[in-house]
Amino acid sequence: MNIKLLGAAVLAMATLLCNPALAEEAPAVDRTSTGGAQTLEDIMARQEQLKIDESFRSENLGNPDNAAPTSGQLGTLGGRSDADVWRSVRYNKIDPTVQSPGPANGVMIQGEGIAWYKLREGPVITYGGGAILGIIALLAVFYFVRGRIKIDGGPAGTTIERFKAIERFGHWLLAGSFIALALTGLITLMGRTFLIPVLGPDAFATLAAGSKWLHNNVAWAFMLGLVMTFVMWVAHNIPNKLDWQWLKAGGGIFTKGHPSAKKFNAGQKIIFWTVMVLGFSVSLSGLSLLFPFQMPMFSDTFGVINSVLGTDLPTALAPHEEMQYANIWHSIVAFVMMVAIIAHIYIGSVGMEGAFDAMGNGEVDIEWARQHHDLWVAEVEAKQGKGESS
């Protein structure tokens, strides 16, 4: 429940920060030259999400009492021009009917598209991309300063089984699908900005279509891997007092010491729960994007947040708004996961001698195991001793 409340609070803060209602107020606009109609300044202010007084539009809906004769120019519209009618639609002052009913067919104007686009193309790409480049640069500096974490005294030459074949399959299913999803997601999110100038629009269109298809279908493998690894490893990742001692010692990453640990140390537990919680969240938002009419997420989520925090977030969301919220949330969570996984990849490959063998062939050097997971080695050897004695 605490995790849900924390997620709700973070989502509420992000929503409030991005809410146009909290934007600064736009300066007054002189509309005398347009006879009271909107000006270019009005349009630009809306695109910048500035707060403006739109009564000059919302109240200018035409008056049926002033209807022209049926033979007149506006007679068939009952005294209301097309612009009047569409302003009525925008400000929900009319109840239109559609010939083809459907969840989204009755939504004729949805005004949050600009806000979503500017957030997606601006802060999401800027801060998300910056976070990825930042963690790569940080790890590169750390590598040159700290160097590779070696096995003290060198490898022993004998091995112990670290992970069974089914465990490695679940791990690589999750890891491989995540890498594919990350790459295709970045192409979809950033391709228009960074790839079209390089590849051209035609080549990028083919790449983007293929990335979208791959992203949507590889997602099922990711969710399967997420379930498999959770079921297999959750029992080993329950936090305990030993983890605090490991964290206080920095996991031996910054020093030559090696704090005691069982099968998973505190650092691995942090990665595990980060992947599980964020993986579950990114999967839900992904499913909502795949099935927007069947799995809307944010109207109910905002309702829970309102009841807990006393906020006034919108709960009557059009399908378009649901998808916009889901898209932004999906991107943010994915970026956080990418940062965590890049750090995990570093430690499990070039950052630590002997670490990759755990997921490579399942066998690790016994000296590596004693240095990093001494209590787990003792448990395994105790079980083997009992098996031999019996």
Side-chain angles (χ1 to χ4, degrees):
M1 183 62 182
N2 291 335
I3 294 177
K4 291 182 178 179
L5 288 178
L6 177 61
V10 172
L11 182 59
M13 291 176 62
T15 304
L16 290 172
L17 288 173
C18 301
N19 195 333
L22 300 180
E24 65 176 282
E25 192 167 347
V29 177
D30 181 9
R31 303 186 183 91
T32 55
S33 62
T34 60
Q38 72 173 339
T39 65
L40 178 61
E41 288 80 4
D42 291 318
I43 296 173
M44 298 302 294
R46 283 203 308 277
Q47 290 183 348
E48 293 297 326
Q49 293 195 282
L50 300 177
K51 187 177 181 180
I52 62 176
D53 180 8
E54 292 201 290
S55 58
F56 75 96
R57 300 175 69 212
S58 61
E59 297 174 4
N60 184 18
L61 307 179
N63 187 355
D65 294 335
N66 298 330
T70 55
S71 59
Q73 186 176 4
L74 299 177
T76 55
L77 291 176
R80 306 180 70 185
S81 68
D82 285 342
D84 295 333
V85 173
W86 282 108
R87 279 193 293 270
S88 299
V89 172
R90 175 176 290 281
Y91 295 102
N92 201 28
K93 300 294 181 64
I94 193 173
D95 187 18
T97 58
V98 293
Q99 292 181 332
S100 55
N105 292 355
V107 182
M108 298 183 179
I109 297 178
Q110 197 269 317
E112 298 302 318
I114 292 177
W116 163 78
Y117 180 78
K118 290 177 73 68
L119 181 60
R120 178 181 183 272
E121 296 298 306
V124 171
I125 289 179
T126 301
Y127 295 121
I132 292 177
L133 295 177
I135 190 64
I136 293 174
L138 184 64
L139 291 173
V141 171
F142 181 79
Y143 178 80
F144 287 110
V145 172
R146 173 65 172 84
R148 196 178 196 197
I149 301 173
K150 298 285 189 177
I151 300 175
D152 295 343
T158 57
T159 61
I160 183 174
E161 185 181 53
R162 176 82 171 137
F163 293 112
K164 299 182 183 299
I166 185 63
E167 294 178 290
R168 301 198 306 277
F169 174 79
H171 170 273
W172 287 116
L173 178 66
L174 182 64
S177 59
F178 179 79
I179 291 173
L181 290 171
L183 292 176
T184 54
L186 289 174
I187 290 172
T188 304
L189 180 65
M190 300 181 173
R192 291 178 61 86
T193 303
F194 298 102
L195 293 181
I196 286 182
V198 177
L199 303 178
D202 293 336
F204 174 73
T206 302
L207 178 63
S211 296
K212 180 180 182 298
W213 182 90
L214 194 63
H215 195 90
N216 292 346
N217 288 281
V218 171
W220 304 108
F222 173 79
M223 287 184 275
L224 176 60
L226 196 70
V227 172
M228 288 182 64
T229 51
F230 178 82
V231 171
M232 291 187 294
W233 291 338
V234 64
H236 298 288
N237 281 278
I238 304 300
N240 54 50
K241 295 180 180 179
L242 194 65
D243 298 327
W244 176 239
Q245 302 301 321
W246 190 95
L247 290 171
K248 286 197 299 183
I253 295 176
F254 305 98
T255 64
K256 294 296 183 181
H258 298 288
S260 294
K262 293 187 177 182
K263 184 165 186 175
F264 292 97
N265 59 42
Q268 291 168 323
K269 289 180 181 180
I270 291 173
I271 289 293
F272 174 84
W273 287 111
T274 297
V275 170
M276 291 301 123
V277 173
L278 298 185
F280 178 72
S281 180
V282 82
S283 296
L284 283 181
S285 57
L287 288 170
S288 182
L289 288 169
L290 286 172
F291 308 104
F293 305 137
Q294 293 79 14
M295 294 186 63
M297 288 178 51
F298 285 88
S299 57
D300 292 338
T301 302
F302 288 164
V304 173
I305 295 173
N306 290 341
S307 64
V308 174
L309 302 180
T311 53
D312 189 27
L313 298 174
T315 55
L317 300 175
H320 314 71
E321 294 173 292
E322 285 280 359
M323 294 184 72
Q324 287 160 0
Y325 278 116
N327 176 266
I328 294 298
W329 184 253
H330 193 75
S331 301
I332 293 172
V333 174
F335 273 122
V336 176
M337 289 187 70
M338 280 186 265
V339 170
I341 295 304
I342 289 172
H344 175 64
I345 292 173
Y346 167 80
I347 290 295
S349 56
V350 299
M352 179 181 290
E353 181 183 12
F356 181 79
D357 294 335
M359 281 302 169
N361 55 30
E363 299 281 337
V364 294
D365 188 87
I366 188 66
E367 191 60 31
W368 178 92
R370 287 199 178 104
Q371 288 178 17
H372 299 289
H373 301 276
D374 55 333
L375 300 180
W376 168 72
V377 173
E379 291 177 358
V380 173
E381 290 177 338
K383 290 179 181 178
Q384 291 175 343
K386 289 181 181 180
E388 292 174 359
S389 63
S390 61

